[in-house]
Every structure is written in C-alpha cells, then in structure tokens.
Amino acid sequence: MYNDKSVNENFHIARAFAIARESPDLDIFSGFSLDDQKQIRKLMIETVLSTDMAVHFDLLSRFTSQVDAKPDLSEWTDRTLLYQMLVHLADIANPSRPFHLARGWAERVIEEFCDQGDREAACGLPVSAMCNRVTMNMPRAQLGFINIFLKPTLNCFERAAPDFVRMALEHLDLTIKEWQGLDAGGLVLPPHLMPQPSPQAGQPEQAQQQPQQQQGSPAAGGKIEDTRAPPMQPQLPLKVVDAGPLPKRHP
C-alpha cells in the first residue's frame, strides 16, 4: 500500500479527503474556490506526511538551516516548512506536558507498541524495533525519545520563537528528572504491561497467570509504588480564547 512509503500518514490524509468527498455535510472544502482547494489540499498532504518519523531528521535539518538563515519567522515568505514543523512538533510533544499527562500518554504508546510486537511474534514475523515487550524499558525508551527527537526540535524552535516553547521546555526538564528517578528505582514497565510467563506443563493455572515482579515494585520489596498512571482528567473551567475571524470563503 502506497509503495510502503509513509503508509499510515498517506492513509490518514487520503481517508480525510474521501470523507469530505463522500459526505457533503463534512466537506470542509466546499466553500472554497477550486484554486484554493488545490492549495489547501497540497498543504495538508505535505504537512501530514511530515509527521512520519522516517523524515524527522531531514525535516529538522532543513528547519535548522532555515532558522540559521532567517531566525525571524515573520520574514519567511514560504511557510510550508514552518507548518510542517509545527504539526510534527505537536505530534511528538507529549513528553513536554506535565508529567502526570506525559506518563499517561507514554504508557498508552508503549502498550500499543508492545501489542504490535506480540501480534508480530504470534504471526512468526520479526518483532519491530521498540515493540518487544520482553526487552522494553519504558523510562529509558522515553528518555531516549526525548534526547534524540523532542529536545533538539524544541531547542531549534527556542532560537526562533522562545516564548512559544518556554513552558514546554520547563515541563520537559521536570519530566526528564521523573523518568530518571523511575529508572534509578528499577521501574521497567507498569505491572499491567509486563510480559506474562509462558505456561508450563503441570503448573496450576492461577500460578501461570501471576505477573512477573520487577525490581522496585512493592511486591519485590522496593520503595516505588509501581502503578499505572492515573486517568487524565480535564482541568475545568476551560478558558475560551478568541482566535479571531475565520478566513473568508467563497459563496
């Protein structure tokens, strides 16, 4: 599918256009001229495809070069690269949220990866990188992602728009310390994500279902209360911000 290139991203953007075409009440393009529709479509495709992690380093390299040449973003005449980087940053920025949110999303991502690895193994396929439940270490995986992908991206944005990323960088510094502390305490995975022992002949069923203990868990005598992150609750009341009038559309 899609010649094995950005399959997930290509599918999402193609499906978005298909929904708009098939459902008149969801067609967000209907009020625009054909020329505007073409421009919007082109920008949407380029922006969504830029969220493929396979193009991260090339994208960041081009953005860094552009920031070096013109650190004032208001001077950029072609802002396609800026839009691509903004959407890409939003896609990878979960670790820069307050830690109770960052950990909650980290657990969900790790669970998705491990589930994929389990299915690959069950089908006799090679287990993809970062999808092996047996070797997964959540704190170290998060620290690696932060140091390799997120922090360099935020640092580049900081040079061009420091106010835009200041809070994210502050949260990120705290999140790094939290993950380092959990790693030092022996956390590998939350109990509900730990690999289950393989059933053995003659072993009672209840014993087979006992989750593995890990260093640092209460059952192993550690001091860290190793539980899944609490549910994420919205912080109300929400402040409504007036973003100004919408762009004019053709009748």
Side-chain angles (χ1 to χ4, degrees):
M1 183 180 287
Y2 303 111
N3 296 319
D4 296 333
K5 184 176 181 180
S6 302
V7 174
N8 197 37
E9 294 76 16
N10 270 300
F11 172 78
H12 286 160
I13 194 65
R15 188 64 190 134
F17 290 129
I19 291 173
R21 183 176 61 252
E22 297 164 1
S23 306
D25 57 326
L26 299 177
D27 185 2
I28 61 175
F29 310 104
S30 60
F32 293 97
S33 68
L34 289 179
D35 286 341
D36 286 345
Q37 288 186 37
K38 290 179 181 178
Q39 293 182 30
I40 294 170
R41 175 183 170 86
K42 181 175 183 294
L43 181 59
M44 287 179 64
I45 292 173
E46 291 178 343
T47 302
V48 172
L49 293 185
S50 70
T51 62
D52 184 353
M53 291 303 297
V55 302
H56 168 83
F57 292 109
D58 175 68
L59 191 68
L60 181 58
S61 176
R62 290 190 288 116
F63 184 67
T64 301
S65 297
Q66 185 74 352
V67 170
D68 288 340
K70 290 185 178 180
D72 186 351
L73 299 181
S74 65
E75 296 180 359
W76 291 24
T77 54
D78 183 358
R79 298 194 175 186
T80 300
L81 179 59
L82 176 59
Y83 299 150
Q84 290 176 307
M85 283 300 299
L86 286 170
V87 173
H88 178 52
L89 176 60
D91 191 39
I92 66 174
N94 280 326
S96 63
R97 300 170 184 264
F99 185 68
H100 73 283
L101 296 176
R103 176 170 176 170
W105 283 113
E107 288 190 7
R108 289 162 177 81
V109 169
I110 295 297
E111 183 173 13
E112 179 182 336
F113 288 176
C114 290
D115 286 347
Q116 175 181 324
D118 292 345
R119 294 191 180 192
E120 289 171 339
C123 293
L125 299 172
V127 177
S128 300
M130 299 301 297
C131 294
N132 192 325
R133 191 183 301 271
V134 176
T135 60
M136 174 63 72
N137 182 304
M138 185 169 71
R140 295 179 187 178
Q142 288 300 299
L143 289 169
F145 182 85
I146 289 169
N147 291 325
I148 295 173
F149 297 104
L150 179 55
K151 196 163 188 179
T153 304
L154 285 171
N155 287 341
C156 188
F157 265 102
E158 185 181 27
R159 292 165 47 205
D163 292 338
F164 173 65
V165 296
R166 181 174 291 115
M167 183 178 294
L169 285 168
E170 291 173 357
H171 286 315
L172 189 63
D173 288 340
L174 295 174
T175 292
I176 290 173
K177 293 177 182 178
E178 291 281 0
W179 285 125
Q180 288 173 337
L182 290 172
D183 182 39
L187 175 67
V188 177
L189 283 173
H192 68 289
L193 297 183
M194 289 293 290
Q196 298 298 313
S198 301
Q200 298 179 5
Q203 188 178 17
E205 182 178 353
Q206 184 176 2
Q208 294 177 15
Q209 296 177 353
Q210 289 294 325
Q212 293 183 2
Q213 297 177 1
Q214 55 180 307
Q215 182 183 359
S217 67
K223 297 181 180 180
I224 293 178
E225 184 180 354
D226 182 12
T227 59
R228 72 176 68 193
M232 294 178 290
Q233 300 293 336
Q235 299 180 2
L236 300 176
L238 298 177
K239 182 179 179 181
V240 178
V241 178
D242 184 3
L246 294 173
K248 293 183 179 180
R249 303 175 68 177
H250 291 268

